[in-house]
Amino acid sequence: MASAYDEGMKCLGIQANRAAAVMFGSSLSLFVKDKGSEKARAERHLKSALKHMKAEGDLHKSLWEWADHLNQLGNEGAHPEDYDDVTGEEAQGLGKFVRHLIRHEYEMPAQLLRDQGLLKDDEPEE
């Protein structure tokens, strides 16, 4: 997930907004593959997978609306013939959301484990 986010940020740096939206959408797909249930991972469409994650409590409800919006803008980036262009503001907002998702779902849980002495800095999170 982090590598797709990093690539999306590089795209933002050169104002390739459509490419950034696609990479941030890829980040979300990788998040589903990593944190989603078997049912969510088996879904063919990201929107359906996200709905499963929301219903199953694997995606916090406060993140659902943003995740759904990110999915839509990722589609816009990937299929420009069917949608409007992705604006710089939209692409930057997506980058902020994915960064927040990484922090919320990966960094904060690992930091809590470290603070409790259950995870050392040199140990990977399971």
Side-chain angles (χ1 to χ4, degrees):
M1 179 175 179
S3 65
Y5 167 77
D6 289 343
E7 191 168 336
M9 292 304 291
K10 288 176 186 173
C11 293
L12 274 183
I14 61 168
Q15 298 177 349
N17 300 325
R18 199 175 352 190
V22 171
M23 292 314 303
F24 295 141
S26 293
S27 295
L28 196 53
S29 293
L30 293 169
F31 170 71
V32 169
K33 296 297 180 197
D34 186 42
K35 298 285 187 175
S37 68
E38 188 175 323
K39 194 173 189 179
R41 290 190 312 266
E43 283 292 340
R44 182 171 174 203
H45 298 286
L46 183 56
K47 185 173 187 105
S48 299
L50 292 169
K51 283 182 180 180
H52 281 299
M53 289 185 75
K54 178 186 171 194
E56 296 165 352
D58 294 327
L59 178 64
H60 194 274
K61 61 184 174 181
S62 67
L63 299 175
W64 157 251
E65 195 172 302
W66 256 109
D68 188 47
H69 182 66
L70 171 58
N71 179 44
Q72 177 64 34
L73 286 175
N75 286 339
E76 290 177 20
H79 305 285
E81 68 280 2
D82 296 329
Y83 300 98
D84 294 332
D85 282 339
V86 177
T87 67
E89 186 176 302
E90 288 171 327
Q92 288 176 0
L94 296 177
K96 287 178 185 177
F97 169 72
V98 173
R99 181 67 187 104
H100 178 72
L101 187 64
I102 290 169
R103 175 138 177 76
H104 186 270
E105 296 294 327
Y106 295 92
E107 293 174 358
M108 289 175 58
Q111 186 60 51
L112 289 172
L113 291 173
R114 282 187 196 93
D115 291 347
Q116 296 170 25
L118 301 173
L119 181 68
K120 294 185 169 84
D121 286 333
D122 57 348
E123 289 181 62
E125 182 187 358
E126 292 185 19

